[in-house]
Amino acid sequence: MIPDYGPTYDSEALFSPMESVSSTEGVPELPPAVIFGVQDILHEAAQDIGTPIDPVTQRPFEYQALSDSVGFVPVQQIGVGAPVAAIATEKVIAAGAECVVMLGGSAALQPDFSPDAALLPTRAVRDEGASYHYLPPDETLCPTPELLNGLGETFSEHGVETHRGPTWTTSALFRETIPQLEHYRREGFVSLGMETSAIWAVCRYRGVDTATVHGIDGYGLPGEQVPTEALTRRLPALLDPTVEALEAHVERG
């Protein structure tokens, strides 16, 4: 059972995210909305349109100001998976973020999805450990409805095909078994990744808006084509609509 000793949800922590981000040169000033990118190709696209500013963590990773209200953090520079994503989420919230959106590649769990589509998860299965230190096991994790709808509308305006449905978050990369994949496919899940439920749990706990945008970097069963070229092309193309949707979300308040 996670956590091993509980309940702990209302207990005081040993140290805070604010202490972490302010331990060197003070708290950096982040805009209201932050995009987490998890692929180098997205980082390169953000560098083309953004302005680097000071790191947001003691372990340096870049932060790009994409507009007055939206920033970009290349989380893959410090690692992948739920624990890293949870720590990064805590730190950007402590530094001022009021909305955190993950944008990155995932395995699609439905074979008929176009490799150019954007997947918008509506619920996350919590098959990792970090989220259970923030919310009880019976809590259902969902994105912020207004933010999810705004992303969907903006993608449609840009001619991007979208699909909505649950996502499976797991930390066990080499234990994503075929029976599990077949089960989640039958249940209508759209994607598989390693970070979403942890990010959403931290955001729920801290009272911050959140959502996930998944590009397709493969399909979830052996023998199905992995469209590497499509991911390289599509992920950067999803960045501008995501920024536009976040700007509108911040303006709506």
Side-chain angles (χ1 to χ4, degrees), residues 43-105:
H43 186 199
E44 293 168 9
Q47 287 176 314
D48 289 340
I49 62 175
T51 303
I53 62 172
D54 293 336
V56 186
T57 177
Q58 293 168 300
R59 294 182 59 190
F61 65 86
E62 288 184 48
Y63 160 72
Q64 307 287 143
L66 302 183
S67 72
D68 290 341
S69 58
V70 181
F72 179 91
V73 172
V75 179
Q76 84 283 354
Q77 289 192 345
I78 59 170
V80 297
V84 169
I87 292 170
T89 304
E90 285 276 33
K91 291 190 175 187
V92 298
I93 292 172
E98 301 170 3
C99 177
V100 179
V101 169
M102 177 187 166
L103 171 60

Side-chain angles (χ1 to χ4, degrees), residues 21 28 39 63 76 98 108 112 132 148 150 183 187 192 196 219:
V21 299
Q39 270 86 18
Y63 160 72
Q76 84 283 354
E98 301 170 3
D112 57 342
Y132 294 93
L148 179 70
H183 165 74
E187 293 296 314
L192 157 64
T196 289
Y219 294 87

Side-chain angles (χ1 to χ4, degrees), residues 41-42 44 115 216-217 227-237:
I41 190 68
L42 273 173
E44 293 168 9
I216 297 175
D217 63 5
T228 304
E229 297 81 3
L231 181 71
T232 302
R233 178 182 70 251
R234 176 51 66 188
L235 267 183

